[in-house]
Amino acid sequence: MARPRKFDEGLAVEAAMRAFWADGYEATSTQELCAATGLGRSSIYNTFASKRDLFVKALTHYMEVRTTRLVEHLQGDEGTVRERLRVVMDWAAEPDEDDPSGCLVVNATVELGPHDPDIAERLERDRRRRFATLKAAIEDGMRDGEIDSAKDADALAHFVISTISGIQVAARGGADPGTLRAIADTAMLSL
């Protein structure tokens, strides 16, 4: 008879997500995952089967939380489209102080995307969801006269995604808050 689990799997996935976010997939050891989650090695492997399985759950959790926040914010009615887009830029330029620098999706795209087709497909689905939401918001802004309707909504949505990713890479590389804010400000001028 198997013993019942005495831990919250969701909290363990959240803790593992932060460990992977801070150090990347390869650099995060099983021992670091044990320390982050408070679980023993056997509990991790009995619950998640492998480090990769835990990473997939952590990445999925990250995308669900972060992309859902983006979608809900951009589809909401708080402020103008430009104001909502500014908030999204600010999330990248001024992340929560408890969060590791950078972005788990960007990190996974660079580290695992080229070598792991399953991870690459998961990342692409998330990118398509973010792109569709940004494009719809930009088109709303064009209809409302907030964004120049002569511009290409597809190109602007790709630009916003790339700019946010660039801000997150710059943050991970140690860029100071003033530099990150300047990048966000410049991007907003482009809209």
Side-chain angles (χ1 to χ4, degrees):
M1 177 189 278
R3 290 186 306 188
R5 289 188 191 142
K6 294 184 179 179
F7 64 90
D8 183 324
E9 189 174 318
L11 292 176
V13 169
E14 172 78 20
M17 177 196 78
R18 291 185 166 282
F20 287 125
W21 184 358
D23 296 331
Y25 176 76
E26 289 295 332
T28 304
S29 69
T30 303
Q31 188 57 39
E32 289 170 318
L33 291 170
C34 290
T37 61
L39 300 174
R41 185 179 299 265
S42 63
S43 292
I44 286 179
Y45 286 109
N46 288 337
T47 304
F48 301 107
S50 68
K51 175 181 165 181
R52 185 184 180 287
D53 182 53
L54 178 53
F55 178 79
V56 168
K57 288 183 185 311
L59 179 63
T60 300
H61 173 67
Y62 181 93
M63 291 186 297
E64 286 171 357
V65 169
R66 297 294 171 139
T67 303
T68 297
R69 178 175 90 158
L70 172 79
V71 169
E72 289 174 352
H73 176 71
L74 288 176
Q75 291 177 346
D77 56 5
E78 192 147 326
T80 65
V81 170
R82 287 185 63 81
E83 289 167 343
R84 284 181 265 152
L85 287 169
R86 179 72 225 198
V87 168
V88 171
M89 289 289 181
D90 289 344
W91 288 343
E94 301 170 7
D96 294 340
E97 63 183 51
D98 293 339
D99 288 344
S101 65
C103 170
L104 184 58
V105 166
V106 172
N107 299 347
T109 299
V110 172
E111 183 179 11
L112 299 171
H115 313 290
D116 187 321
D118 176 57
I119 297 288
E121 176 54 31
R122 291 169 189 274
L123 293 165
E124 178 58 20
R125 279 194 312 265
D126 183 66
R127 188 205 62 77
R128 285 192 306 259
R129 183 176 177 210
R130 287 181 287 116
F131 174 82
T133 301
L134 282 162
K135 181 181 174 187
I138 289 165
E139 289 171 339
D140 288 347
M142 289 175 164
R143 274 190 298 279
D144 294 345
E146 295 177 56
I147 297 172
D148 183 355
S149 61
K151 294 188 177 185
D152 182 319
D154 276 17
L156 286 177
H158 285 299
F159 172 75
V160 170
I161 288 172
S162 296
T163 301
I164 290 169
S165 296
I167 289 170
Q168 292 164 327
V169 169
R172 186 138 179 119
D176 64 88
T179 299
L180 302 177
R181 169 61 83 179
I183 295 167
D185 291 344
T186 303
M188 288 304 299
L189 291 174
S190 299
L191 298 174

